[in-house]
Amino acid sequence: MATISELKDDRIIVHNEFLIRSSVHSLLQTLESRGVMGQLKARIRAEVFSALDEQRGARPSLSHDNLLINELIREYLEFNKYRHTASVLTAESGQPETPLDRQFLAAELRVSEDASSKSVPLLYGLVSHFLNSSDNRGKVLLRGAAVSISAPGHDS
């Protein structure tokens, strides 16, 4: 049979566990309401991808095409405030941490912009161009041979 002292110790332990859980729950709610939890989760995901990539060995070099595509996607993600997703894309793809200059990206894609198009990601302009194009009854012929694919997991 437990002594009074042991029962008091057990109550103190239970009470302390309750206080700790309550404090942790309150802290998590605060971090969530400030938007910090999403950032922490994304950072952890990015670090996990990075650690897994290090174990996997050297990543194939990023092709010029993939560099441009990833940059279009990153610009879109950051514009829409999907920063966590953008950080995981950067970590997993091997995209440089520093975004490419937008003028460089537009020049590489042979895109000219007016003042209003510069306020949105290039991807929006490209999609808008194809949606509003009346050439060839609205269809564009894509040629696979014109694109060099050297993505990880895809044989060229």
Side-chain angles (χ1 to χ4, degrees):
M1 180 173 262
T3 67
I4 293 176
S5 177
E6 291 171 336
L7 290 175
K8 285 182 181 177
D9 289 345
D10 286 346
R11 272 198 338 232
I12 290 171
I13 291 170
V14 169
H15 179 70
N16 286 343
E17 286 179 6
F18 171 76
L19 289 176
I20 290 169
R21 286 185 182 153
S22 178
S23 296
V24 167
H25 179 72
S26 177
L27 177 62
L28 290 175
Q29 283 182 321
T30 301
L31 292 174
E32 188 72 45
S33 70
R34 291 181 182 175
V36 175
M37 282 302 290
Q39 293 172 352
L40 291 173
K41 289 176 184 177
R43 184 69 186 158
I44 289 169
R45 275 188 226 107
E47 289 298 328
V48 167
F49 283 127
S50 178
L52 290 173
D53 281 346
E54 286 175 12
Q55 291 175 359
R56 194 171 51 174
R59 173 182 298 139
S61 63
L62 196 58
S63 73
H64 184 70
D65 292 346
N66 285 347
L67 179 75
L68 297 176
I69 292 166
N70 290 346
E71 196 58 41
L72 287 169
I73 294 168
R74 176 175 31 196
E75 183 188 33
Y76 162 82
L77 292 172
E78 289 180 354
F79 177 82
N80 286 290
K81 304 206 182 340
Y82 301 141
R83 290 182 185 95
H84 311 310
T85 306
S87 71
V88 173
L89 169 70
T90 302
E92 191 172 14
S93 68
Q95 191 78 2
E97 289 288 328
T98 304
L100 298 176
D101 179 69
R102 180 175 171 117
Q103 290 177 324
F104 170 79
L105 189 58
E108 288 295 299
L109 297 170
R110 296 184 183 94
V111 171
S112 59
E113 300 182 274
D114 61 15
S116 66
S117 70
K118 291 180 180 181
S119 64
V120 296
L122 285 168
L123 196 53
Y124 281 115
L126 295 171
V127 169
S128 176
H129 168 76
F130 287 112
L131 289 176
N132 297 317
S133 176
S134 61
D135 298 341
N136 211 6
R137 286 187 246 127
K139 296 194 178 185
V140 174
L141 176 62
L142 299 178
R143 295 185 177 100
V147 179
S148 62
I149 298 176
S150 61
H154 293 87
D155 294 326
S156 312

